[in-house]
Amino acid sequence: ERLGSLQDLQVLNLSKNRLTSVGSIAELQGLEELWLRDNQITELHALQGLSQCGSLKRLVLKPNPVCKTCPDLYWPFLVHNIASLEMLDGRPVGADERDAAA
C-alpha cells in the first residue's frame, strides 16, 4: 500500500528498515514527526522529497550513512529544504540555524 493514502498520519517511525530514500513518505502532508534512524540513506538527494512534507516539525535521521559522509552538509540541507522543521536529531532548529542554512 502506498503511504500517500494515510494523509492523517502525524507520527511515523521507520527506523531500522534499510531504507535508502524517503520514497512515498513525501506524500504525507499531515506528517509532523518522522523517525528514520538506522537506515541505509547515503546521499542528500535521497532526502529531497521531505521538502514536500509541509507539516514536518521533528525529524530524527542519525545514525544514517549520510550523517557521517556529509556531516557538515546534511543539517543545513534539511533545515533549508524543510521550512516547517523545528527539531532535527534532537536539536532545536532556531533562527540562527535557518539563517546559516539559507
Short mmCIF file of all heavy atoms in Angstrom, two decimals, residues 5-78:
data_model
loop_
_atom_site.label_atom_id
_atom_site.label_comp_id
_atom_site.label_asym_id
_atom_site.label_seq_id
_atom_site.Cartn_x
_atom_site.Cartn_y
_atom_site.Cartn_z
N SER A 5 -1.90 7.34 0.98
CA SER A 5 -3.30 7.20 1.37
C SER A 5 -3.52 7.45 2.86
O SER A 5 -4.64 7.51 3.32
CB SER A 5 -3.80 5.80 1.00
OG SER A 5 -3.10 4.82 1.73
N LEU A 6 -2.45 7.65 3.61
CA LEU A 6 -2.53 7.87 5.06
C LEU A 6 -2.33 9.35 5.39
O LEU A 6 -1.47 9.74 6.16
CB LEU A 6 -1.46 7.03 5.77
CG LEU A 6 -1.52 5.53 5.51
CD1 LEU A 6 -0.30 4.83 6.08
CD2 LEU A 6 -2.80 4.93 6.08
N GLN A 7 -3.15 10.20 4.81
CA GLN A 7 -2.97 11.64 4.92
C GLN A 7 -3.12 12.19 6.34
O GLN A 7 -2.62 13.27 6.63
CB GLN A 7 -3.94 12.38 3.99
CG GLN A 7 -3.59 12.20 2.52
CD GLN A 7 -2.20 12.69 2.18
OE1 GLN A 7 -1.83 13.81 2.47
NE2 GLN A 7 -1.40 11.83 1.56
N ASP A 8 -3.80 11.49 7.23
CA ASP A 8 -3.97 11.96 8.60
C ASP A 8 -2.86 11.51 9.54
O ASP A 8 -2.84 11.88 10.71
CB ASP A 8 -5.32 11.50 9.16
CG ASP A 8 -6.49 12.14 8.43
OD1 ASP A 8 -6.32 13.27 7.92
OD2 ASP A 8 -7.56 11.53 8.37
N LEU A 9 -1.93 10.72 9.02
CA LEU A 9 -0.82 10.22 9.83
C LEU A 9 0.07 11.37 10.29
O LEU A 9 0.48 12.20 9.49
CB LEU A 9 0.01 9.23 9.00
CG LEU A 9 1.06 8.43 9.76
CD1 LEU A 9 0.41 7.47 10.74
CD2 LEU A 9 1.92 7.66 8.77
N GLN A 10 0.33 11.45 11.60
CA GLN A 10 1.12 12.54 12.14
C GLN A 10 2.51 12.11 12.60
O GLN A 10 3.45 12.90 12.56
CB GLN A 10 0.39 13.20 13.32
CG GLN A 10 -0.87 13.89 12.89
CD GLN A 10 -1.60 14.51 14.05
OE1 GLN A 10 -1.39 14.15 15.20
NE2 GLN A 10 -2.47 15.45 13.75
N VAL A 11 2.65 10.86 13.07
CA VAL A 11 3.93 10.36 13.56
C VAL A 11 4.22 9.04 12.85
O VAL A 11 3.35 8.17 12.77
CB VAL A 11 3.90 10.14 15.09
CG1 VAL A 11 5.22 9.56 15.58
CG2 VAL A 11 3.59 11.44 15.82
N LEU A 12 5.45 8.92 12.34
CA LEU A 12 5.83 7.70 11.63
C LEU A 12 7.25 7.32 12.04
O LEU A 12 8.16 8.13 11.96
CB LEU A 12 5.76 7.93 10.12
CG LEU A 12 6.12 6.76 9.20
CD1 LEU A 12 5.19 5.57 9.46
CD2 LEU A 12 6.05 7.19 7.75
N ASN A 13 7.41 6.08 12.50
CA ASN A 13 8.72 5.57 12.88
C ASN A 13 9.11 4.47 11.89
O ASN A 13 8.54 3.39 11.91
CB ASN A 13 8.71 5.03 14.30
CG ASN A 13 10.09 4.66 14.79
OD1 ASN A 13 11.00 4.42 14.00
ND2 ASN A 13 10.25 4.61 16.10
N LEU A 14 10.08 4.79 11.04
CA LEU A 14 10.59 3.83 10.06
C LEU A 14 12.05 3.50 10.34
O LEU A 14 12.81 3.17 9.42
CB LEU A 14 10.42 4.38 8.64
CG LEU A 14 8.99 4.45 8.14
CD1 LEU A 14 8.91 5.18 6.80
CD2 LEU A 14 8.39 3.05 8.02
N SER A 15 12.44 3.57 11.59
CA SER A 15 13.81 3.25 11.98
C SER A 15 14.09 1.77 11.72
O SER A 15 13.19 0.93 11.81
CB SER A 15 14.02 3.55 13.46
OG SER A 15 13.82 4.92 13.72
N LYS A 16 15.35 1.50 11.38
CA LYS A 16 15.84 0.13 11.19
C LYS A 16 15.07 -0.64 10.12
O LYS A 16 14.67 -1.78 10.33
CB LYS A 16 15.82 -0.62 12.51
CG LYS A 16 16.70 0.01 13.56
CD LYS A 16 16.72 -0.78 14.84
CE LYS A 16 17.64 -0.08 15.83
NZ LYS A 16 17.79 -0.84 17.06
N ASN A 17 14.87 -0.01 8.98
CA ASN A 17 14.17 -0.66 7.87
C ASN A 17 14.98 -0.76 6.59
O ASN A 17 14.45 -1.08 5.54
CB ASN A 17 12.85 0.07 7.58
CG ASN A 17 11.75 -0.37 8.51
OD1 ASN A 17 11.22 -1.46 8.36
ND2 ASN A 17 11.43 0.46 9.48
N ARG A 18 16.25 -0.40 6.65
CA ARG A 18 17.15 -0.47 5.49
C ARG A 18 16.69 0.43 4.34
O ARG A 18 16.92 0.12 3.17
CB ARG A 18 17.33 -1.90 5.02
CG ARG A 18 17.97 -2.78 6.06
CD ARG A 18 18.21 -4.16 5.55
NE ARG A 18 18.76 -4.98 6.62
CZ ARG A 18 18.71 -6.27 6.64
NH1 ARG A 18 18.16 -6.94 5.65
NH2 ARG A 18 19.24 -6.94 7.64
N LEU A 19 16.02 1.51 4.65
CA LEU A 19 15.57 2.45 3.62
C LEU A 19 16.77 3.16 3.01
O LEU A 19 17.72 3.49 3.69
CB LEU A 19 14.63 3.49 4.21
CG LEU A 19 13.33 2.99 4.84
CD1 LEU A 19 12.55 4.14 5.44
CD2 LEU A 19 12.49 2.26 3.82
N THR A 20 16.69 3.42 1.71
CA THR A 20 17.75 4.16 1.02
C THR A 20 17.28 5.54 0.57
O THR A 20 18.08 6.36 0.15
CB THR A 20 18.26 3.38 -0.20
OG1 THR A 20 17.16 3.12 -1.07
CG2 THR A 20 18.91 2.07 0.24
N SER A 21 15.98 5.79 0.63
CA SER A 21 15.41 7.09 0.29
C SER A 21 14.07 7.25 1.02
O SER A 21 13.59 6.30 1.63
CB SER A 21 15.20 7.23 -1.21
OG SER A 21 14.15 6.40 -1.63
N VAL A 22 13.49 8.43 0.90
CA VAL A 22 12.23 8.68 1.59
C VAL A 22 11.02 8.24 0.78
O VAL A 22 9.93 8.11 1.32
CB VAL A 22 12.09 10.16 2.02
CG1 VAL A 22 13.15 10.50 3.04
CG2 VAL A 22 12.14 11.10 0.85
N GLY A 23 11.19 8.02 -0.51
CA GLY A 23 10.12 7.48 -1.34
C GLY A 23 8.79 8.18 -1.16
O GLY A 23 8.71 9.41 -1.19
N SER A 24 7.74 7.42 -0.94
CA SER A 24 6.39 7.98 -0.85
C SER A 24 6.09 8.65 0.48
O SER A 24 4.99 9.18 0.66
CB SER A 24 5.35 6.89 -1.15
OG SER A 24 5.44 5.85 -0.21
N ILE A 25 7.05 8.68 1.39
CA ILE A 25 6.87 9.42 2.64
C ILE A 25 6.55 10.87 2.34
O ILE A 25 5.78 11.52 3.05
CB ILE A 25 8.12 9.32 3.53
CG1 ILE A 25 8.38 7.89 3.96
CG2 ILE A 25 8.00 10.23 4.75
CD1 ILE A 25 9.73 7.66 4.60
N ALA A 26 7.11 11.38 1.26
CA ALA A 26 6.91 12.79 0.88
C ALA A 26 5.45 13.11 0.60
O ALA A 26 5.06 14.28 0.61
CB ALA A 26 7.76 13.11 -0.34
N GLU A 27 4.63 12.11 0.36
CA GLU A 27 3.21 12.33 0.08
C GLU A 27 2.38 12.58 1.34
O GLU A 27 1.21 12.92 1.26
CB GLU A 27 2.64 11.12 -0.66
CG GLU A 27 3.30 10.88 -2.00
CD GLU A 27 2.85 9.58 -2.64
OE1 GLU A 27 1.81 9.02 -2.23
OE2 GLU A 27 3.55 9.11 -3.56
N LEU A 28 2.98 12.41 2.51
CA LEU A 28 2.25 12.53 3.78
C LEU A 28 2.23 13.99 4.23
O LEU A 28 3.06 14.44 5.00
CB LEU A 28 2.89 11.64 4.84
CG LEU A 28 2.91 10.15 4.52
CD1 LEU A 28 3.70 9.39 5.56
CD2 LEU A 28 1.50 9.61 4.40
N GLN A 29 1.23 14.73 3.77
CA GLN A 29 1.14 16.16 4.04
C GLN A 29 0.89 16.50 5.50
O GLN A 29 1.27 17.56 5.97
CB GLN A 29 0.04 16.79 3.18
CG GLN A 29 0.33 16.69 1.70
CD GLN A 29 1.61 17.40 1.31
OE1 GLN A 29 1.82 18.54 1.67
NE2 GLN A 29 2.47 16.71 0.57
N GLY A 30 0.28 15.60 6.27
CA GLY A 30 -0.02 15.86 7.67
C GLY A 30 1.07 15.38 8.63
O GLY A 30 0.97 15.57 9.84
N LEU A 31 2.12 14.78 8.10
CA LEU A 31 3.16 14.20 8.95
C LEU A 31 3.91 15.29 9.72
O LEU A 31 4.39 16.27 9.14
CB LEU A 31 4.15 13.43 8.07
CG LEU A 31 5.16 12.55 8.81
CD1 LEU A 31 4.45 11.44 9.58
CD2 LEU A 31 6.15 11.95 7.83
N GLU A 32 3.98 15.14 11.04
CA GLU A 32 4.65 16.11 11.90
C GLU A 32 5.95 15.58 12.49
O GLU A 32 6.84 16.36 12.81
CB GLU A 32 3.72 16.53 13.04
CG GLU A 32 2.50 17.30 12.57
CD GLU A 32 1.62 17.75 13.71
OE1 GLU A 32 1.99 17.57 14.89
OE2 GLU A 32 0.54 18.28 13.42
N GLU A 33 6.05 14.28 12.65
CA GLU A 33 7.23 13.68 13.27
C GLU A 33 7.63 12.43 12.50
O GLU A 33 6.79 11.56 12.24
CB GLU A 33 6.93 13.33 14.72
CG GLU A 33 8.10 12.81 15.49
CD GLU A 33 7.81 12.69 16.98
OE1 GLU A 33 6.93 13.40 17.50
OE2 GLU A 33 8.47 11.86 17.62
N LEU A 34 8.92 12.36 12.13
CA LEU A 34 9.41 11.24 11.34
C LEU A 34 10.71 10.72 11.92
O LEU A 34 11.66 11.48 12.12
CB LEU A 34 9.62 11.68 9.88
CG LEU A 34 10.21 10.65 8.91
CD1 LEU A 34 9.30 9.42 8.81
CD2 LEU A 34 10.41 11.29 7.55
N TRP A 35 10.75 9.44 12.17
CA TRP A 35 11.95 8.76 12.68
C TRP A 35 12.51 7.88 11.57
O TRP A 35 11.84 6.98 11.08
CB TRP A 35 11.59 7.90 13.89
CG TRP A 35 11.23 8.71 15.09
CD1 TRP A 35 10.08 9.45 15.28
CD2 TRP A 35 12.01 8.89 16.26
NE1 TRP A 35 10.12 10.06 16.50
CE2 TRP A 35 11.29 9.74 17.13
CE3 TRP A 35 13.25 8.41 16.66
CZ2 TRP A 35 11.77 10.12 18.37
CZ3 TRP A 35 13.73 8.79 17.91
CH2 TRP A 35 12.99 9.64 18.75
N LEU A 36 13.76 8.17 11.17
CA LEU A 36 14.43 7.40 10.12
C LEU A 36 15.79 6.88 10.60
O LEU A 36 16.69 6.65 9.79
CB LEU A 36 14.64 8.29 8.87
CG LEU A 36 13.39 8.69 8.12
CD1 LEU A 36 13.72 9.70 7.03
CD2 LEU A 36 12.69 7.48 7.54
N ARG A 37 15.94 6.68 11.88
CA ARG A 37 17.20 6.21 12.45
C ARG A 37 17.61 4.86 11.87
O ARG A 37 16.77 4.04 11.52
CB ARG A 37 17.07 6.02 13.97
CG ARG A 37 16.85 7.26 14.75
CD ARG A 37 16.64 6.93 16.24
NE ARG A 37 17.66 6.03 16.74
CZ ARG A 37 18.83 6.43 17.25
NH1 ARG A 37 19.12 7.69 17.34
NH2 ARG A 37 19.69 5.54 17.68
N ASP A 38 18.92 4.65 11.81
CA ASP A 38 19.47 3.33 11.48
C ASP A 38 18.93 2.75 10.17
O ASP A 38 18.51 1.59 10.13
CB ASP A 38 19.21 2.33 12.62
CG ASP A 38 19.98 2.68 13.86
OD1 ASP A 38 21.20 2.88 13.77
OD2 ASP A 38 19.36 2.76 14.94
N ASN A 39 18.94 3.54 9.13
CA ASN A 39 18.58 3.05 7.80
C ASN A 39 19.83 3.09 6.93
O ASN A 39 20.94 3.18 7.45
CB ASN A 39 17.43 3.88 7.22
CG ASN A 39 16.09 3.41 7.76
OD1 ASN A 39 15.65 2.31 7.47
ND2 ASN A 39 15.44 4.25 8.56
N GLN A 40 19.67 3.03 5.64
CA GLN A 40 20.80 3.00 4.71
C GLN A 40 20.78 4.21 3.77
O GLN A 40 21.12 4.10 2.60
CB GLN A 40 20.77 1.69 3.90
CG GLN A 40 20.87 0.45 4.74
CD GLN A 40 22.17 0.40 5.53
OE1 GLN A 40 23.23 0.70 5.01
NE2 GLN A 40 22.09 0.04 6.79
N ILE A 41 20.39 5.36 4.29
CA ILE A 41 20.34 6.58 3.49
C ILE A 41 21.76 7.12 3.37
O ILE A 41 22.38 7.49 4.38
CB ILE A 41 19.38 7.61 4.12
CG1 ILE A 41 17.98 7.00 4.20
CG2 ILE A 41 19.40 8.91 3.31
CD1 ILE A 41 16.99 7.80 5.01
N THR A 42 22.28 7.16 2.15
CA THR A 42 23.68 7.51 1.94
C THR A 42 23.88 8.85 1.25
O THR A 42 24.99 9.38 1.28
CB THR A 42 24.39 6.43 1.10
OG1 THR A 42 23.73 6.32 -0.15
CG2 THR A 42 24.39 5.09 1.81
N GLU A 43 22.84 9.39 0.62
CA GLU A 43 23.01 10.62 -0.16
C GLU A 43 21.94 11.64 0.19
O GLU A 43 20.79 11.29 0.48
CB GLU A 43 22.95 10.30 -1.65
CG GLU A 43 24.05 9.34 -2.07
CD GLU A 43 24.01 9.05 -3.55
OE1 GLU A 43 23.32 9.76 -4.30
OE2 GLU A 43 24.70 8.09 -3.95
N LEU A 44 22.33 12.91 0.14
CA LEU A 44 21.41 14.00 0.47
C LEU A 44 20.20 14.03 -0.46
O LEU A 44 19.08 14.27 0.00
CB LEU A 44 22.14 15.35 0.42
CG LEU A 44 23.14 15.61 1.53
CD1 LEU A 44 23.90 16.90 1.27
CD2 LEU A 44 22.45 15.66 2.88
N HIS A 45 20.41 13.79 -1.74
CA HIS A 45 19.28 13.88 -2.67
C HIS A 45 18.19 12.85 -2.34
O HIS A 45 17.03 13.03 -2.72
CB HIS A 45 19.74 13.76 -4.13
CG HIS A 45 20.15 12.39 -4.54
ND1 HIS A 45 19.25 11.43 -4.93
CD2 HIS A 45 21.37 11.82 -4.63
CE1 HIS A 45 19.90 10.32 -5.23
NE2 HIS A 45 21.19 10.53 -5.05
N ALA A 46 18.52 11.80 -1.61
CA ALA A 46 17.53 10.80 -1.20
C ALA A 46 16.55 11.37 -0.18
O ALA A 46 15.51 10.78 0.07
CB ALA A 46 18.23 9.57 -0.63
N LEU A 47 16.88 12.53 0.39
CA LEU A 47 16.03 13.19 1.39
C LEU A 47 15.26 14.37 0.82
O LEU A 47 14.45 14.98 1.50
CB LEU A 47 16.89 13.66 2.57
CG LEU A 47 17.65 12.56 3.30
CD1 LEU A 47 18.72 13.16 4.20
CD2 LEU A 47 16.68 11.69 4.08
N GLN A 48 15.52 14.71 -0.43
CA GLN A 48 14.93 15.89 -1.07
C GLN A 48 13.41 15.90 -0.98
O GLN A 48 12.80 16.94 -0.77
CB GLN A 48 15.36 15.96 -2.53
CG GLN A 48 14.90 17.21 -3.25
CD GLN A 48 15.63 18.44 -2.79
OE1 GLN A 48 16.83 18.39 -2.54
NE2 GLN A 48 14.93 19.54 -2.65
N GLY A 49 12.78 14.76 -1.10
CA GLY A 49 11.32 14.68 -1.07
C GLY A 49 10.69 15.17 0.22
O GLY A 49 9.52 15.55 0.24
N LEU A 50 11.46 15.20 1.30
CA LEU A 50 10.90 15.66 2.57
C LEU A 50 10.49 17.13 2.52
O LEU A 50 9.71 17.58 3.36
CB LEU A 50 11.89 15.42 3.72
CG LEU A 50 12.18 13.96 4.05
CD1 LEU A 50 13.21 13.86 5.15
CD2 LEU A 50 10.89 13.24 4.44
N SER A 51 10.98 17.86 1.55
CA SER A 51 10.60 19.26 1.42
C SER A 51 9.10 19.40 1.11
O SER A 51 8.51 20.45 1.33
CB SER A 51 11.42 19.96 0.34
OG SER A 51 11.18 19.37 -0.92
N GLN A 52 8.48 18.34 0.64
CA GLN A 52 7.05 18.34 0.34
C GLN A 52 6.19 18.09 1.57
O GLN A 52 4.97 18.26 1.52
CB GLN A 52 6.74 17.29 -0.72
CG GLN A 52 7.41 17.55 -2.04
CD GLN A 52 7.17 16.41 -3.01
OE1 GLN A 52 6.19 15.68 -2.94
NE2 GLN A 52 8.10 16.25 -3.94
N CYS A 53 6.80 17.68 2.67
CA CYS A 53 6.06 17.43 3.92
C CYS A 53 5.90 18.76 4.65
O CYS A 53 6.71 19.11 5.52
CB CYS A 53 6.80 16.42 4.78
SG CYS A 53 6.91 14.78 4.07
N GLY A 54 4.88 19.50 4.30
CA GLY A 54 4.70 20.86 4.80
C GLY A 54 4.44 20.99 6.29
O GLY A 54 4.53 22.08 6.84
N SER A 55 4.12 19.90 6.97
CA SER A 55 3.84 19.94 8.40
C SER A 55 4.94 19.33 9.25
O SER A 55 4.83 19.29 10.48
CB SER A 55 2.53 19.20 8.70
OG SER A 55 1.45 19.78 8.01
N LEU A 56 6.01 18.84 8.62
CA LEU A 56 7.06 18.13 9.33
C LEU A 56 7.81 19.05 10.30
O LEU A 56 8.42 20.02 9.88
CB LEU A 56 8.04 17.49 8.35
CG LEU A 56 9.06 16.52 8.94
CD1 LEU A 56 8.36 15.33 9.62
CD2 LEU A 56 10.01 16.04 7.86
N LYS A 57 7.72 18.74 11.59
CA LYS A 57 8.35 19.56 12.63
C LYS A 57 9.55 18.88 13.26
O LYS A 57 10.50 19.53 13.65
CB LYS A 57 7.33 19.90 13.72
CG LYS A 57 6.20 20.76 13.23
CD LYS A 57 5.20 20.99 14.32
CE LYS A 57 4.06 21.83 13.76
NZ LYS A 57 2.90 21.85 14.62
N ARG A 58 9.48 17.56 13.40
CA ARG A 58 10.55 16.81 14.06
C ARG A 58 11.03 15.67 13.15
O ARG A 58 10.22 14.87 12.69
CB ARG A 58 10.05 16.26 15.39
CG ARG A 58 9.78 17.36 16.42
CD ARG A 58 9.08 16.85 17.66
NE ARG A 58 7.75 16.30 17.39
CZ ARG A 58 6.66 17.04 17.19
NH1 ARG A 58 6.74 18.35 17.17
NH2 ARG A 58 5.49 16.48 16.97
N LEU A 59 12.36 15.64 12.98
CA LEU A 59 12.97 14.61 12.14
C LEU A 59 14.17 14.03 12.87
O LEU A 59 15.01 14.77 13.38
CB LEU A 59 13.42 15.21 10.80
CG LEU A 59 14.22 14.31 9.87
CD1 LEU A 59 13.40 13.09 9.43
CD2 LEU A 59 14.69 15.10 8.65
N VAL A 60 14.22 12.70 12.94
CA VAL A 60 15.37 12.01 13.53
C VAL A 60 16.00 11.18 12.41
O VAL A 60 15.37 10.25 11.89
CB VAL A 60 14.96 11.12 14.71
CG1 VAL A 60 16.18 10.40 15.28
CG2 VAL A 60 14.28 11.95 15.79
N LEU A 61 17.21 11.53 12.05
CA LEU A 61 17.91 10.89 10.94
C LEU A 61 19.13 10.10 11.40
O LEU A 61 19.47 9.08 10.82
CB LEU A 61 18.33 11.96 9.93
CG LEU A 61 18.87 11.48 8.61
CD1 LEU A 61 17.84 10.67 7.85
CD2 LEU A 61 19.30 12.68 7.78
N LYS A 62 19.81 10.58 12.43
CA LYS A 62 21.02 9.91 12.93
C LYS A 62 20.66 8.61 13.61
O LYS A 62 19.65 8.57 14.31
CB LYS A 62 21.74 10.80 13.94
CG LYS A 62 22.64 11.83 13.33
CD LYS A 62 23.40 12.54 14.44
CE LYS A 62 24.45 13.45 13.88
NZ LYS A 62 25.19 14.12 14.94
N PRO A 63 21.48 7.60 13.48
CA PRO A 63 22.61 7.45 12.58
C PRO A 63 22.18 6.86 11.25
O PRO A 63 21.45 5.89 11.19
CB PRO A 63 23.52 6.48 13.32
CG PRO A 63 22.60 5.62 14.12
CD PRO A 63 21.42 6.50 14.45
N ASN A 64 22.61 7.48 10.18
CA ASN A 64 22.49 7.01 8.81
C ASN A 64 23.81 7.32 8.15
O ASN A 64 24.49 8.27 8.55
CB ASN A 64 21.35 7.74 8.08
CG ASN A 64 20.05 6.98 8.12
OD1 ASN A 64 19.85 6.01 7.41
ND2 ASN A 64 19.15 7.43 8.98
N PRO A 65 24.21 6.59 7.14
CA PRO A 65 25.49 6.87 6.49
C PRO A 65 25.65 8.32 6.03
O PRO A 65 26.73 8.88 6.12
CB PRO A 65 25.51 5.90 5.31
CG PRO A 65 24.67 4.75 5.76
CD PRO A 65 23.58 5.38 6.59
N VAL A 66 24.57 8.94 5.57
CA VAL A 66 24.66 10.32 5.10
C VAL A 66 25.10 11.28 6.21
O VAL A 66 25.75 12.29 5.94
CB VAL A 66 23.33 10.79 4.46
CG1 VAL A 66 22.25 10.99 5.50
CG2 VAL A 66 23.54 12.05 3.65
N CYS A 67 24.80 10.96 7.43
CA CYS A 67 25.19 11.81 8.57
C CYS A 67 26.70 11.76 8.79
O CYS A 67 27.29 12.73 9.28
CB CYS A 67 24.47 11.38 9.84
SG CYS A 67 22.67 11.46 9.70
N LYS A 68 27.32 10.65 8.43
CA LYS A 68 28.78 10.51 8.56
C LYS A 68 29.51 11.00 7.33
O LYS A 68 30.56 11.61 7.44
CB LYS A 68 29.15 9.04 8.83
CG LYS A 68 28.81 8.58 10.21
CD LYS A 68 29.31 7.17 10.44
CE LYS A 68 29.01 6.74 11.85
NZ LYS A 68 29.57 5.43 12.16
N THR A 69 28.98 10.71 6.14
CA THR A 69 29.67 11.10 4.91
C THR A 69 29.51 12.58 4.60
O THR A 69 30.35 13.15 3.91
CB THR A 69 29.20 10.27 3.71
OG1 THR A 69 27.80 10.44 3.54
CG2 THR A 69 29.53 8.80 3.89
N CYS A 70 28.45 13.20 5.09
CA CYS A 70 28.18 14.63 4.84
C CYS A 70 27.88 15.34 6.15
O CYS A 70 26.85 16.02 6.27
CB CYS A 70 27.01 14.79 3.90
SG CYS A 70 27.18 13.97 2.33
N PRO A 71 28.74 15.24 7.17
CA PRO A 71 28.40 15.78 8.49
C PRO A 71 28.17 17.30 8.50
O PRO A 71 27.36 17.79 9.30
CB PRO A 71 29.58 15.40 9.37
CG PRO A 71 30.71 15.21 8.41
CD PRO A 71 30.09 14.70 7.15
N ASP A 72 28.84 18.02 7.63
CA ASP A 72 28.68 19.47 7.60
C ASP A 72 27.60 19.93 6.63
O ASP A 72 27.28 21.12 6.60
CB ASP A 72 30.01 20.14 7.23
CG ASP A 72 31.09 19.88 8.27
OD1 ASP A 72 30.75 19.72 9.45
OD2 ASP A 72 32.27 19.81 7.88
N LEU A 73 27.06 19.02 5.86
CA LEU A 73 26.08 19.39 4.83
C LEU A 73 24.65 18.97 5.14
O LEU A 73 23.71 19.66 4.76
CB LEU A 73 26.48 18.80 3.48
CG LEU A 73 27.80 19.28 2.90
CD1 LEU A 73 28.09 18.54 1.60
CD2 LEU A 73 27.77 20.77 2.67
N TYR A 74 24.46 17.83 5.80
CA TYR A 74 23.10 17.31 5.93
C TYR A 74 22.22 18.21 6.78
O TYR A 74 21.05 18.42 6.46
CB TYR A 74 23.09 15.85 6.41
CG TYR A 74 22.99 15.65 7.90
CD1 TYR A 74 21.76 15.46 8.50
CD2 TYR A 74 24.12 15.67 8.70
CE1 TYR A 74 21.66 15.27 9.87
CE2 TYR A 74 24.03 15.47 10.05
CZ TYR A 74 22.80 15.29 10.64
OH TYR A 74 22.71 15.11 11.99
N TRP A 75 22.76 18.79 7.85
CA TRP A 75 21.96 19.66 8.73
C TRP A 75 21.47 20.89 7.97
O TRP A 75 20.26 21.13 7.90
CB TRP A 75 22.78 20.03 9.97
CG TRP A 75 22.07 20.96 10.90
CD1 TRP A 75 21.98 22.32 10.78
CD2 TRP A 75 21.31 20.62 12.06
NE1 TRP A 75 21.24 22.84 11.80
CE2 TRP A 75 20.81 21.82 12.60
CE3 TRP A 75 21.02 19.42 12.70
CZ2 TRP A 75 20.03 21.86 13.75
CZ3 TRP A 75 20.24 19.46 13.84
CH2 TRP A 75 19.75 20.66 14.36
N PRO A 76 22.37 21.71 7.38
CA PRO A 76 21.88 22.89 6.65
C PRO A 76 21.00 22.52 5.45
O PRO A 76 20.05 23.24 5.14
CB PRO A 76 23.13 23.63 6.21
CG PRO A 76 24.27 22.74 6.48
CD PRO A 76 23.83 21.68 7.44
N PHE A 77 21.29 21.40 4.80
CA PHE A 77 20.48 20.95 3.67
C PHE A 77 19.03 20.73 4.11
O PHE A 77 18.09 21.21 3.47
CB PHE A 77 21.07 19.67 3.08
CG PHE A 77 20.24 19.06 1.99
CD1 PHE A 77 20.37 19.50 0.69
CD2 PHE A 77 19.35 18.03 2.27
CE1 PHE A 77 19.61 18.93 -0.34
CE2 PHE A 77 18.59 17.46 1.26
CZ PHE A 77 18.72 17.91 -0.05
N LEU A 78 18.84 20.01 5.20
CA LEU A 78 17.48 19.71 5.67
C LEU A 78 16.80 20.94 6.25
O LEU A 78 15.61 21.16 6.00
CB LEU A 78 17.53 18.58 6.70
CG LEU A 78 17.91 17.22 6.12
CD1 LEU A 78 18.21 16.22 7.22
CD2 LEU A 78 16.83 16.71 5.20
#
